[in-house]
Amino acid sequence: MDEAPNHSSADPPSALPAETMDPLSRERVPGSPHAAGVVLVSGESTAFAPGLHKAYLPLLGRSLMSWALRALAATKEIGPLLLVVPPEDYQTARRLVAREADGLPVEIVLGRETRQESQLLALRHLAGRIDTGAVDVVVIHDVTRPLASSTLTAGVIHAARMFGGAIPGLLADDLVKADADDMVIGSPQRLLRPQTPQAFEARSMLAAFEAAARDSFVGADTMSCITRFSSVKSRWVTGDTLNLEITHPQDLFRAEHLLTSTGYVLP
């Protein structure tokens, strides 16, 4: 196994030193707006080992964190690339970024206890670039989905630019609805299993999360804040069956099998 988080007693900075923070150097078309990619590290991985986050587990020689970052970085529409980690994991994240990110200008942002708070801090980190229009879309991606394709990421960015928000998902044809009396309601039409990356118009997302913070509203997911505090109507984008989530140990073995059997090349 790679390395477990190193809980340092020193207070970590809010981001990597300036010499490694050059998001604009990744712009493909100078002056044009770009999407910002945000990889979230949140929660613990008790299914694997107490106190060890799945983000740092190895997959074919690289951490899941590295795979998730590089998956977003492979998408030409992505400009700034953020990694949001718990404060106690800062030193571990910084070492892995230096060792595995191959020079990608990753900005490490210190998150908080909840996913919503962590997303708000990432948005505040980007606020200046959102205000100037340098960042027009924010892409939120879970570190536990290491195999997201650049095609999928580009697709949600395109849909977010057209409609305001986009969530990839797969039809869940093995689910049915039930009413309050546990009676099955018809056939399971268009029930979806959501995936990440998800993309949203940046200014609307920032305003929605700030409004949620002012109202002390805590939503179940990203869409909860978007729906409650903005007029954005997110669209469904067809997900990817290979974009699996690493939840249990067998998922890691499945990901390794997919990579080796399909000849997948790391971006």
mmCIF file with all atom_site columns, all heavy atoms in Angstrom, residues 11-18 21 82-87 90-91 94 106-112 121-122 124-125:
data_model
loop_
_atom_site.group_PDB
_atom_site.id
_atom_site.type_symbol
_atom_site.label_atom_id
_atom_site.label_alt_id
_atom_site.label_comp_id
_atom_site.label_asym_id
_atom_site.label_entity_id
_atom_site.label_seq_id
_atom_site.pdbx_PDB_ins_code
_atom_site.Cartn_x
_atom_site.Cartn_y
_atom_site.Cartn_z
_atom_site.occupancy
_atom_site.B_iso_or_equiv
_atom_site.pdbx_formal_charge
_atom_site.auth_seq_id
_atom_site.auth_comp_id
_atom_site.auth_asym_id
_atom_site.auth_atom_id
_atom_site.pdbx_PDB_model_num
ATOM 1   N N   . ASP A 1 11  ? 0.396   24.074 11.201 1.00 0.00 ? 11  ASP A N   1
ATOM 2   C CA  . ASP A 1 11  ? -0.730  24.580 10.443 1.00 0.00 ? 11  ASP A CA  1
ATOM 3   C C   . ASP A 1 11  ? -0.345  24.682 8.982  1.00 0.00 ? 11  ASP A C   1
ATOM 4   O O   . ASP A 1 11  ? 0.576   25.426 8.622  1.00 0.00 ? 11  ASP A O   1
ATOM 5   C CB  . ASP A 1 11  ? -1.147  25.967 10.953 1.00 0.00 ? 11  ASP A CB  1
ATOM 6   C CG  . ASP A 1 11  ? -1.739  25.906 12.344 1.00 0.00 ? 11  ASP A CG  1
ATOM 7   O OD1 . ASP A 1 11  ? -2.309  24.847 12.682 1.00 0.00 ? 11  ASP A OD1 1
ATOM 8   O OD2 . ASP A 1 11  ? -1.643  26.904 13.070 1.00 0.00 ? 11  ASP A OD2 1
ATOM 9   N N   . PRO A 1 12  ? -1.019  23.966 8.088  1.00 0.00 ? 12  PRO A N   1
ATOM 10  C CA  . PRO A 1 12  ? -0.666  24.015 6.670  1.00 0.00 ? 12  PRO A CA  1
ATOM 11  C C   . PRO A 1 12  ? -1.172  25.286 6.023  1.00 0.00 ? 12  PRO A C   1
ATOM 12  O O   . PRO A 1 12  ? -2.156  25.872 6.485  1.00 0.00 ? 12  PRO A O   1
ATOM 13  C CB  . PRO A 1 12  ? -1.390  22.790 6.089  1.00 0.00 ? 12  PRO A CB  1
ATOM 14  C CG  . PRO A 1 12  ? -2.572  22.607 6.979  1.00 0.00 ? 12  PRO A CG  1
ATOM 15  C CD  . PRO A 1 12  ? -2.120  23.036 8.340  1.00 0.00 ? 12  PRO A CD  1
ATOM 16  N N   . PRO A 1 13  ? -0.530  25.727 4.969  1.00 0.00 ? 13  PRO A N   1
ATOM 17  C CA  . PRO A 1 13  ? -1.036  26.880 4.241  1.00 0.00 ? 13  PRO A CA  1
ATOM 18  C C   . PRO A 1 13  ? -2.313  26.510 3.515  1.00 0.00 ? 13  PRO A C   1
ATOM 19  O O   . PRO A 1 13  ? -2.662  25.352 3.396  1.00 0.00 ? 13  PRO A O   1
ATOM 20  C CB  . PRO A 1 13  ? 0.099   27.197 3.244  1.00 0.00 ? 13  PRO A CB  1
ATOM 21  C CG  . PRO A 1 13  ? 0.821   25.906 3.083  1.00 0.00 ? 13  PRO A CG  1
ATOM 22  C CD  . PRO A 1 13  ? 0.720   25.200 4.402  1.00 0.00 ? 13  PRO A CD  1
ATOM 23  N N   . SER A 1 14  ? -3.022  27.501 3.000  1.00 0.00 ? 14  SER A N   1
ATOM 24  C CA  . SER A 1 14  ? -4.296  27.232 2.349  1.00 0.00 ? 14  SER A CA  1
ATOM 25  C C   . SER A 1 14  ? -4.132  26.697 0.944  1.00 0.00 ? 14  SER A C   1
ATOM 26  O O   . SER A 1 14  ? -5.076  26.231 0.339  1.00 0.00 ? 14  SER A O   1
ATOM 27  C CB  . SER A 1 14  ? -5.135  28.512 2.300  1.00 0.00 ? 14  SER A CB  1
ATOM 28  O OG  . SER A 1 14  ? -4.456  29.513 1.566  1.00 0.00 ? 14  SER A OG  1
ATOM 29  N N   . ALA A 1 15  ? -2.944  26.769 0.391  1.00 0.00 ? 15  ALA A N   1
ATOM 30  C CA  . ALA A 1 15  ? -2.713  26.267 -0.964 1.00 0.00 ? 15  ALA A CA  1
ATOM 31  C C   . ALA A 1 15  ? -1.226  26.036 -1.138 1.00 0.00 ? 15  ALA A C   1
ATOM 32  O O   . ALA A 1 15  ? -0.415  26.406 -0.293 1.00 0.00 ? 15  ALA A O   1
ATOM 33  C CB  . ALA A 1 15  ? -3.222  27.268 -2.007 1.00 0.00 ? 15  ALA A CB  1
ATOM 34  N N   . LEU A 1 16  ? -0.867  25.403 -2.237 1.00 0.00 ? 16  LEU A N   1
ATOM 35  C CA  . LEU A 1 16  ? 0.539   25.164 -2.521 1.00 0.00 ? 16  LEU A CA  1
ATOM 36  C C   . LEU A 1 16  ? 1.277   26.483 -2.738 1.00 0.00 ? 16  LEU A C   1
ATOM 37  O O   . LEU A 1 16  ? 0.671   27.496 -3.090 1.00 0.00 ? 16  LEU A O   1
ATOM 38  C CB  . LEU A 1 16  ? 0.677   24.308 -3.782 1.00 0.00 ? 16  LEU A CB  1
ATOM 39  C CG  . LEU A 1 16  ? 0.450   22.812 -3.602 1.00 0.00 ? 16  LEU A CG  1
ATOM 40  C CD1 . LEU A 1 16  ? 0.551   22.119 -4.944 1.00 0.00 ? 16  LEU A CD1 1
ATOM 41  C CD2 . LEU A 1 16  ? 1.463   22.209 -2.644 1.00 0.00 ? 16  LEU A CD2 1
ATOM 42  N N   . PRO A 1 17  ? 2.596   26.500 -2.546 1.00 0.00 ? 17  PRO A N   1
ATOM 43  C CA  . PRO A 1 17  ? 3.364   27.719 -2.790 1.00 0.00 ? 17  PRO A CA  1
ATOM 44  C C   . PRO A 1 17  ? 3.147   28.254 -4.201 1.00 0.00 ? 17  PRO A C   1
ATOM 45  O O   . PRO A 1 17  ? 2.833   27.508 -5.126 1.00 0.00 ? 17  PRO A O   1
ATOM 46  C CB  . PRO A 1 17  ? 4.807   27.255 -2.592 1.00 0.00 ? 17  PRO A CB  1
ATOM 47  C CG  . PRO A 1 17  ? 4.705   26.085 -1.672 1.00 0.00 ? 17  PRO A CG  1
ATOM 48  C CD  . PRO A 1 17  ? 3.429   25.399 -2.053 1.00 0.00 ? 17  PRO A CD  1
ATOM 49  N N   . ALA A 1 18  ? 3.341   29.553 -4.357 1.00 0.00 ? 18  ALA A N   1
ATOM 50  C CA  . ALA A 1 18  ? 3.002   30.214 -5.614 1.00 0.00 ? 18  ALA A CA  1
ATOM 51  C C   . ALA A 1 18  ? 3.738   29.626 -6.805 1.00 0.00 ? 18  ALA A C   1
ATOM 52  O O   . ALA A 1 18  ? 3.208   29.604 -7.915 1.00 0.00 ? 18  ALA A O   1
ATOM 53  C CB  . ALA A 1 18  ? 3.310   31.708 -5.504 1.00 0.00 ? 18  ALA A CB  1
ATOM 54  N N   . MET A 1 21  ? 1.670   27.145 -8.464 1.00 0.00 ? 21  MET A N   1
ATOM 55  C CA  . MET A 1 21  ? 0.297   27.541 -8.724 1.00 0.00 ? 21  MET A CA  1
ATOM 56  C C   . MET A 1 21  ? 0.244   28.470 -9.929 1.00 0.00 ? 21  MET A C   1
ATOM 57  O O   . MET A 1 21  ? 0.232   29.684 -9.807 1.00 0.00 ? 21  MET A O   1
ATOM 58  C CB  . MET A 1 21  ? -0.303  28.247 -7.501 1.00 0.00 ? 21  MET A CB  1
ATOM 59  C CG  . MET A 1 21  ? -0.497  27.367 -6.306 1.00 0.00 ? 21  MET A CG  1
ATOM 60  S SD  . MET A 1 21  ? -1.011  28.307 -4.864 1.00 0.00 ? 21  MET A SD  1
ATOM 61  C CE  . MET A 1 21  ? -2.369  29.278 -5.520 1.00 0.00 ? 21  MET A CE  1
ATOM 62  N N   . LEU A 1 82  ? -7.888  22.243 -9.086 1.00 0.00 ? 82  LEU A N   1
ATOM 63  C CA  . LEU A 1 82  ? -7.857  22.322 -7.629 1.00 0.00 ? 82  LEU A CA  1
ATOM 64  C C   . LEU A 1 82  ? -8.008  20.936 -7.014 1.00 0.00 ? 82  LEU A C   1
ATOM 65  O O   . LEU A 1 82  ? -8.744  20.088 -7.529 1.00 0.00 ? 82  LEU A O   1
ATOM 66  C CB  . LEU A 1 82  ? -8.999  23.197 -7.098 1.00 0.00 ? 82  LEU A CB  1
ATOM 67  C CG  . LEU A 1 82  ? -8.799  24.721 -7.056 1.00 0.00 ? 82  LEU A CG  1
ATOM 68  C CD1 . LEU A 1 82  ? -8.523  25.281 -8.446 1.00 0.00 ? 82  LEU A CD1 1
ATOM 69  C CD2 . LEU A 1 82  ? -10.007 25.394 -6.439 1.00 0.00 ? 82  LEU A CD2 1
ATOM 70  N N   . LEU A 1 83  ? -7.310  20.744 -5.894 1.00 0.00 ? 83  LEU A N   1
ATOM 71  C CA  . LEU A 1 83  ? -7.460  19.546 -5.077 1.00 0.00 ? 83  LEU A CA  1
ATOM 72  C C   . LEU A 1 83  ? -7.865  20.009 -3.686 1.00 0.00 ? 83  LEU A C   1
ATOM 73  O O   . LEU A 1 83  ? -7.133  20.761 -3.044 1.00 0.00 ? 83  LEU A O   1
ATOM 74  C CB  . LEU A 1 83  ? -6.143  18.766 -5.015 1.00 0.00 ? 83  LEU A CB  1
ATOM 75  C CG  . LEU A 1 83  ? -6.117  17.550 -4.087 1.00 0.00 ? 83  LEU A CG  1
ATOM 76  C CD1 . LEU A 1 83  ? -7.037  16.444 -4.609 1.00 0.00 ? 83  LEU A CD1 1
ATOM 77  C CD2 . LEU A 1 83  ? -4.689  17.021 -3.940 1.00 0.00 ? 83  LEU A CD2 1
ATOM 78  N N   . VAL A 1 84  ? -9.033  19.579 -3.225 1.00 0.00 ? 84  VAL A N   1
ATOM 79  C CA  . VAL A 1 84  ? -9.544  19.995 -1.920 1.00 0.00 ? 84  VAL A CA  1
ATOM 80  C C   . VAL A 1 84  ? -9.384  18.837 -0.950 1.00 0.00 ? 84  VAL A C   1
ATOM 81  O O   . VAL A 1 84  ? -9.958  17.760 -1.147 1.00 0.00 ? 84  VAL A O   1
ATOM 82  C CB  . VAL A 1 84  ? -11.019 20.423 -2.008 1.00 0.00 ? 84  VAL A CB  1
ATOM 83  C CG1 . VAL A 1 84  ? -11.496 20.963 -0.669 1.00 0.00 ? 84  VAL A CG1 1
ATOM 84  C CG2 . VAL A 1 84  ? -11.209 21.473 -3.099 1.00 0.00 ? 84  VAL A CG2 1
ATOM 85  N N   . VAL A 1 85  ? -8.599  19.061 0.104  1.00 0.00 ? 85  VAL A N   1
ATOM 86  C CA  . VAL A 1 85  ? -8.268  17.992 1.049  1.00 0.00 ? 85  VAL A CA  1
ATOM 87  C C   . VAL A 1 85  ? -8.535  18.441 2.480  1.00 0.00 ? 85  VAL A C   1
ATOM 88  O O   . VAL A 1 85  ? -8.511  19.640 2.780  1.00 0.00 ? 85  VAL A O   1
ATOM 89  C CB  . VAL A 1 85  ? -6.790  17.559 0.919  1.00 0.00 ? 85  VAL A CB  1
ATOM 90  C CG1 . VAL A 1 85  ? -6.480  17.080 -0.485 1.00 0.00 ? 85  VAL A CG1 1
ATOM 91  C CG2 . VAL A 1 85  ? -5.852  18.698 1.309  1.00 0.00 ? 85  VAL A CG2 1
ATOM 92  N N   . PRO A 1 86  ? -8.764  17.492 3.392  1.00 0.00 ? 86  PRO A N   1
ATOM 93  C CA  . PRO A 1 86  ? -8.848  17.852 4.812  1.00 0.00 ? 86  PRO A CA  1
ATOM 94  C C   . PRO A 1 86  ? -7.523  18.451 5.263  1.00 0.00 ? 86  PRO A C   1
ATOM 95  O O   . PRO A 1 86  ? -6.453  18.052 4.788  1.00 0.00 ? 86  PRO A O   1
ATOM 96  C CB  . PRO A 1 86  ? -9.102  16.501 5.500  1.00 0.00 ? 86  PRO A CB  1
ATOM 97  C CG  . PRO A 1 86  ? -9.655  15.609 4.432  1.00 0.00 ? 86  PRO A CG  1
ATOM 98  C CD  . PRO A 1 86  ? -8.988  16.056 3.163  1.00 0.00 ? 86  PRO A CD  1
ATOM 99  N N   . PRO A 1 87  ? -7.557  19.420 6.186  1.00 0.00 ? 87  PRO A N   1
ATOM 100 C CA  . PRO A 1 87  ? -6.308  20.059 6.628  1.00 0.00 ? 87  PRO A CA  1
ATOM 101 C C   . PRO A 1 87  ? -5.262  19.071 7.115  1.00 0.00 ? 87  PRO A C   1
ATOM 102 O O   . PRO A 1 87  ? -4.065  19.255 6.861  1.00 0.00 ? 87  PRO A O   1
ATOM 103 C CB  . PRO A 1 87  ? -6.782  20.980 7.769  1.00 0.00 ? 87  PRO A CB  1
ATOM 104 C CG  . PRO A 1 87  ? -8.189  21.294 7.428  1.00 0.00 ? 87  PRO A CG  1
ATOM 105 C CD  . PRO A 1 87  ? -8.750  20.048 6.799  1.00 0.00 ? 87  PRO A CD  1
ATOM 106 N N   . TYR A 1 90  ? -2.888  17.610 4.399  1.00 0.00 ? 90  TYR A N   1
ATOM 107 C CA  . TYR A 1 90  ? -2.178  18.517 3.493  1.00 0.00 ? 90  TYR A CA  1
ATOM 108 C C   . TYR A 1 90  ? -0.802  18.001 3.097  1.00 0.00 ? 90  TYR A C   1
ATOM 109 O O   . TYR A 1 90  ? -0.446  17.987 1.920  1.00 0.00 ? 90  TYR A O   1
ATOM 110 C CB  . TYR A 1 90  ? -2.047  19.908 4.138  1.00 0.00 ? 90  TYR A CB  1
ATOM 111 C CG  . TYR A 1 90  ? -1.137  20.819 3.367  1.00 0.00 ? 90  TYR A CG  1
ATOM 112 C CD1 . TYR A 1 90  ? -1.570  21.424 2.196  1.00 0.00 ? 90  TYR A CD1 1
ATOM 113 C CD2 . TYR A 1 90  ? 0.174   21.058 3.797  1.00 0.00 ? 90  TYR A CD2 1
ATOM 114 C CE1 . TYR A 1 90  ? -0.733  22.252 1.470  1.00 0.00 ? 90  TYR A CE1 1
ATOM 115 C CE2 . TYR A 1 90  ? 1.012   21.883 3.079  1.00 0.00 ? 90  TYR A CE2 1
ATOM 116 C CZ  . TYR A 1 90  ? 0.558   22.476 1.913  1.00 0.00 ? 90  TYR A CZ  1
ATOM 117 O OH  . TYR A 1 90  ? 1.395   23.274 1.198  1.00 0.00 ? 90  TYR A OH  1
ATOM 118 N N   . GLN A 1 91  ? 0.000   17.569 4.078  1.00 0.00 ? 91  GLN A N   1
ATOM 119 C CA  . GLN A 1 91  ? 1.365   17.152 3.773  1.00 0.00 ? 91  GLN A CA  1
ATOM 120 C C   . GLN A 1 91  ? 1.376   15.925 2.863  1.00 0.00 ? 91  GLN A C   1
ATOM 121 O O   . GLN A 1 91  ? 2.179   15.841 1.923  1.00 0.00 ? 91  GLN A O   1
ATOM 122 C CB  . GLN A 1 91  ? 2.135   16.883 5.069  1.00 0.00 ? 91  GLN A CB  1
ATOM 123 C CG  . GLN A 1 91  ? 2.328   18.106 5.957  1.00 0.00 ? 91  GLN A CG  1
ATOM 124 C CD  . GLN A 1 91  ? 3.138   19.210 5.282  1.00 0.00 ? 91  GLN A CD  1
ATOM 125 O OE1 . GLN A 1 91  ? 3.871   18.957 4.325  1.00 0.00 ? 91  GLN A OE1 1
ATOM 126 N NE2 . GLN A 1 91  ? 3.015   20.430 5.787  1.00 0.00 ? 91  GLN A NE2 1
ATOM 127 N N   . ARG A 1 94  ? 0.356   17.040 -0.641 1.00 0.00 ? 94  ARG A N   1
ATOM 128 C CA  . ARG A 1 94  ? 1.416   17.792 -1.306 1.00 0.00 ? 94  ARG A CA  1
ATOM 129 C C   . ARG A 1 94  ? 2.523   16.863 -1.814 1.00 0.00 ? 94  ARG A C   1
ATOM 130 O O   . ARG A 1 94  ? 3.020   17.029 -2.929 1.00 0.00 ? 94  ARG A O   1
ATOM 131 C CB  . ARG A 1 94  ? 1.989   18.834 -0.339 1.00 0.00 ? 94  ARG A CB  1
ATOM 132 C CG  . ARG A 1 94  ? 3.051   19.710 -0.990 1.00 0.00 ? 94  ARG A CG  1
ATOM 133 C CD  . ARG A 1 94  ? 3.502   20.810 -0.065 1.00 0.00 ? 94  ARG A CD  1
ATOM 134 N NE  . ARG A 1 94  ? 4.495   21.641 -0.726 1.00 0.00 ? 94  ARG A NE  1
ATOM 135 C CZ  . ARG A 1 94  ? 5.049   22.715 -0.171 1.00 0.00 ? 94  ARG A CZ  1
ATOM 136 N NH1 . ARG A 1 94  ? 4.679   23.107 1.033  1.00 0.00 ? 94  ARG A NH1 1
ATOM 137 N NH2 . ARG A 1 94  ? 5.949   23.412 -0.825 1.00 0.00 ? 94  ARG A NH2 1
ATOM 138 N N   . VAL A 1 106 ? -1.259  22.055 -9.808 1.00 0.00 ? 106 VAL A N   1
ATOM 139 C CA  . VAL A 1 106 ? -2.377  21.745 -8.916 1.00 0.00 ? 106 VAL A CA  1
ATOM 140 C C   . VAL A 1 106 ? -2.404  22.728 -7.753 1.00 0.00 ? 106 VAL A C   1
ATOM 141 O O   . VAL A 1 106 ? -1.384  22.944 -7.086 1.00 0.00 ? 106 VAL A O   1
ATOM 142 C CB  . VAL A 1 106 ? -2.262  20.301 -8.376 1.00 0.00 ? 106 VAL A CB  1
ATOM 143 C CG1 . VAL A 1 106 ? -3.400  19.997 -7.404 1.00 0.00 ? 106 VAL A CG1 1
ATOM 144 C CG2 . VAL A 1 106 ? -2.247  19.298 -9.523 1.00 0.00 ? 106 VAL A CG2 1
ATOM 145 N N   . GLU A 1 107 ? -3.548  23.307 -7.488 1.00 0.00 ? 107 GLU A N   1
ATOM 146 C CA  . GLU A 1 107 ? -3.738  24.216 -6.359 1.00 0.00 ? 107 GLU A CA  1
ATOM 147 C C   . GLU A 1 107 ? -4.417  23.427 -5.242 1.00 0.00 ? 107 GLU A C   1
ATOM 148 O O   . GLU A 1 107 ? -5.538  22.963 -5.413 1.00 0.00 ? 107 GLU A O   1
ATOM 149 C CB  . GLU A 1 107 ? -4.577  25.416 -6.764 1.00 0.00 ? 107 GLU A CB  1
ATOM 150 C CG  . GLU A 1 107 ? -3.999  26.181 -7.951 1.00 0.00 ? 107 GLU A CG  1
ATOM 151 C CD  . GLU A 1 107 ? -4.909  27.303 -8.413 1.00 0.00 ? 107 GLU A CD  1
ATOM 152 O OE1 . GLU A 1 107 ? -5.540  27.950 -7.546 1.00 0.00 ? 107 GLU A OE1 1
ATOM 153 O OE2 . GLU A 1 107 ? -5.005  27.514 -9.631 1.00 0.00 ? 107 GLU A OE2 1
ATOM 154 N N   . ILE A 1 108 ? -3.753  23.274 -4.116 1.00 0.00 ? 108 ILE A N   1
ATOM 155 C CA  . ILE A 1 108 ? -4.325  22.532 -3.001 1.00 0.00 ? 108 ILE A CA  1
ATOM 156 C C   . ILE A 1 108 ? -5.078  23.495 -2.088 1.00 0.00 ? 108 ILE A C   1
ATOM 157 O O   . ILE A 1 108 ? -4.513  24.479 -1.606 1.00 0.00 ? 108 ILE A O   1
ATOM 158 C CB  . ILE A 1 108 ? -3.241  21.784 -2.209 1.00 0.00 ? 108 ILE A CB  1
ATOM 159 C CG1 . ILE A 1 108 ? -2.561  20.740 -3.109 1.00 0.00 ? 108 ILE A CG1 1
ATOM 160 C CG2 . ILE A 1 108 ? -3.846  21.117 -0.980 1.00 0.00 ? 108 ILE A CG2 1
ATOM 161 C CD1 . ILE A 1 108 ? -1.505  19.916 -2.397 1.00 0.00 ? 108 ILE A CD1 1
ATOM 162 N N   . VAL A 1 109 ? -6.347  23.203 -1.882 1.00 0.00 ? 109 VAL A N   1
ATOM 163 C CA  . VAL A 1 109 ? -7.209  24.012 -1.029 1.00 0.00 ? 109 VAL A CA  1
ATOM 164 C C   . VAL A 1 109 ? -7.608  23.175 0.178  1.00 0.00 ? 109 VAL A C   1
ATOM 165 O O   . VAL A 1 109 ? -7.958  21.997 0.038  1.00 0.00 ? 109 VAL A O   1
ATOM 166 C CB  . VAL A 1 109 ? -8.470  24.473 -1.798 1.00 0.00 ? 109 VAL A CB  1
ATOM 167 C CG1 . VAL A 1 109 ? -9.417  25.245 -0.877 1.00 0.00 ? 109 VAL A CG1 1
ATOM 168 C CG2 . VAL A 1 109 ? -8.085  25.313 -3.005 1.00 0.00 ? 109 VAL A CG2 1
ATOM 169 N N   . LEU A 1 110 ? -7.542  23.774 1.361  1.00 0.00 ? 110 LEU A N   1
ATOM 170 C CA  . LEU A 1 110 ? -7.928  23.053 2.570  1.00 0.00 ? 110 LEU A CA  1
ATOM 171 C C   . LEU A 1 110 ? -9.437  23.053 2.720  1.00 0.00 ? 110 LEU A C   1
ATOM 172 O O   . LEU A 1 110 ? -10.074 24.112 2.740  1.00 0.00 ? 110 LEU A O   1
ATOM 173 C CB  . LEU A 1 110 ? -7.277  23.688 3.794  1.00 0.00 ? 110 LEU A CB  1
ATOM 174 C CG  . LEU A 1 110 ? -5.745  23.727 3.779  1.00 0.00 ? 110 LEU A CG  1
ATOM 175 C CD1 . LEU A 1 110 ? -5.224  24.288 5.092  1.00 0.00 ? 110 LEU A CD1 1
ATOM 176 C CD2 . LEU A 1 110 ? -5.168  22.349 3.515  1.00 0.00 ? 110 LEU A CD2 1
ATOM 177 N N   . GLY A 1 111 ? -10.002 21.849 2.806  1.00 0.00 ? 111 GLY A N   1
ATOM 178 C CA  . GLY A 1 111 ? -11.437 21.717 2.943  1.00 0.00 ? 111 GLY A CA  1
ATOM 179 C C   . GLY A 1 111 ? -11.889 21.770 4.387  1.00 0.00 ? 111 GLY A C   1
ATOM 180 O O   . GLY A 1 111 ? -11.142 22.146 5.288  1.00 0.00 ? 111 GLY A O   1
ATOM 181 N N   . ARG A 1 112 ? -13.122 21.364 4.602  1.00 0.00 ? 112 ARG A N   1
ATOM 182 C CA  . ARG A 1 112 ? -13.702 21.344 5.943  1.00 0.00 ? 112 ARG A CA  1
ATOM 183 C C   . ARG A 1 112 ? -14.378 19.992 6.164  1.00 0.00 ? 112 ARG A C   1
ATOM 184 O O   . ARG A 1 112 ? -14.230 19.076 5.379  1.00 0.00 ? 112 ARG A O   1
ATOM 185 C CB  . ARG A 1 112 ? -14.703 22.490 6.116  1.00 0.00 ? 112 ARG A CB  1
ATOM 186 C CG  . ARG A 1 112 ? -14.069 23.863 6.172  1.00 0.00 ? 112 ARG A CG  1
ATOM 187 C CD  . ARG A 1 112 ? -13.183 24.042 7.398  1.00 0.00 ? 112 ARG A CD  1
ATOM 188 N NE  . ARG A 1 112 ? -12.624 25.397 7.482  1.00 0.00 ? 112 ARG A NE  1
ATOM 189 C CZ  . ARG A 1 112 ? -11.465 25.746 6.992  1.00 0.00 ? 112 ARG A CZ  1
ATOM 190 N NH1 . ARG A 1 112 ? -10.719 24.855 6.332  1.00 0.00 ? 112 ARG A NH1 1
ATOM 191 N NH2 . ARG A 1 112 ? -11.016 26.986 7.127  1.00 0.00 ? 112 ARG A NH2 1
ATOM 192 N N   . LEU A 1 121 ? -15.381 26.517 -0.090 1.00 0.00 ? 121 LEU A N   1
ATOM 193 C CA  . LEU A 1 121 ? -14.020 27.030 0.004  1.00 0.00 ? 121 LEU A CA  1
ATOM 194 C C   . LEU A 1 121 ? -13.306 26.970 -1.339 1.00 0.00 ? 121 LEU A C   1
ATOM 195 O O   . LEU A 1 121 ? -12.521 27.862 -1.677 1.00 0.00 ? 121 LEU A O   1
ATOM 196 C CB  . LEU A 1 121 ? -13.247 26.253 1.068  1.00 0.00 ? 121 LEU A CB  1
ATOM 197 C CG  . LEU A 1 121 ? -13.719 26.525 2.512  1.00 0.00 ? 121 LEU A CG  1
ATOM 198 C CD1 . LEU A 1 121 ? -13.015 25.591 3.486  1.00 0.00 ? 121 LEU A CD1 1
ATOM 199 C CD2 . LEU A 1 121 ? -13.474 27.977 2.902  1.00 0.00 ? 121 LEU A CD2 1
ATOM 200 N N   . ALA A 1 122 ? -13.572 25.936 -2.122 1.00 0.00 ? 122 ALA A N   1
ATOM 201 C CA  . ALA A 1 122 ? -12.998 25.867 -3.467 1.00 0.00 ? 122 ALA A CA  1
ATOM 202 C C   . ALA A 1 122 ? -13.539 27.000 -4.333 1.00 0.00 ? 122 ALA A C   1
ATOM 203 O O   . ALA A 1 122 ? -12.789 27.644 -5.089 1.00 0.00 ? 122 ALA A O   1
ATOM 204 C CB  . ALA A 1 122 ? -13.311 24.512 -4.096 1.00 0.00 ? 122 ALA A CB  1
ATOM 205 N N   . ARG A 1 124 ? -14.697 29.899 -3.286 1.00 0.00 ? 124 ARG A N   1
ATOM 206 C CA  . ARG A 1 124 ? -14.111 31.163 -2.812 1.00 0.00 ? 124 ARG A CA  1
ATOM 207 C C   . ARG A 1 124 ? -12.677 31.315 -3.294 1.00 0.00 ? 124 ARG A C   1
ATOM 208 O O   . ARG A 1 124 ? -12.225 32.425 -3.592 1.00 0.00 ? 124 ARG A O   1
ATOM 209 C CB  . ARG A 1 124 ? -14.177 31.227 -1.288 1.00 0.00 ? 124 ARG A CB  1
ATOM 210 C CG  . ARG A 1 124 ? -15.581 31.480 -0.746 1.00 0.00 ? 124 ARG A CG  1
ATOM 211 C CD  . ARG A 1 124 ? -15.628 31.421 0.767  1.00 0.00 ? 124 ARG A CD  1
ATOM 212 N NE  . ARG A 1 124 ? -16.947 31.795 1.279  1.00 0.00 ? 124 ARG A NE  1
ATOM 213 C CZ  . ARG A 1 124 ? -17.323 31.677 2.547  1.00 0.00 ? 124 ARG A CZ  1
ATOM 214 N NH1 . ARG A 1 124 ? -16.458 31.213 3.446  1.00 0.00 ? 124 ARG A NH1 1
ATOM 215 N NH2 . ARG A 1 124 ? -18.537 32.040 2.924  1.00 0.00 ? 124 ARG A NH2 1
ATOM 216 N N   . HIS A 1 125 ? -11.958 30.203 -3.364 1.00 0.00 ? 125 HIS A N   1
ATOM 217 C CA  . HIS A 1 125 ? -10.590 30.228 -3.884 1.00 0.00 ? 125 HIS A CA  1
ATOM 218 C C   . HIS A 1 125 ? -10.574 30.690 -5.341 1.00 0.00 ? 125 HIS A C   1
ATOM 219 O O   . HIS A 1 125 ? -9.627  31.334 -5.791 1.00 0.00 ? 125 HIS A O   1
ATOM 220 C CB  . HIS A 1 125 ? -9.991  28.831 -3.754 1.00 0.00 ? 125 HIS A CB  1
ATOM 221 C CG  . HIS A 1 125 ? -8.557  28.734 -4.178 1.00 0.00 ? 125 HIS A CG  1
ATOM 222 N ND1 . HIS A 1 125 ? -7.505  29.096 -3.356 1.00 0.00 ? 125 HIS A ND1 1
ATOM 223 C CD2 . HIS A 1 125 ? -7.994  28.317 -5.345 1.00 0.00 ? 125 HIS A CD2 1
ATOM 224 C CE1 . HIS A 1 125 ? -6.364  28.900 -4.003 1.00 0.00 ? 125 HIS A CE1 1
ATOM 225 N NE2 . HIS A 1 125 ? -6.627  28.431 -5.202 1.00 0.00 ? 125 HIS A NE2 1
#
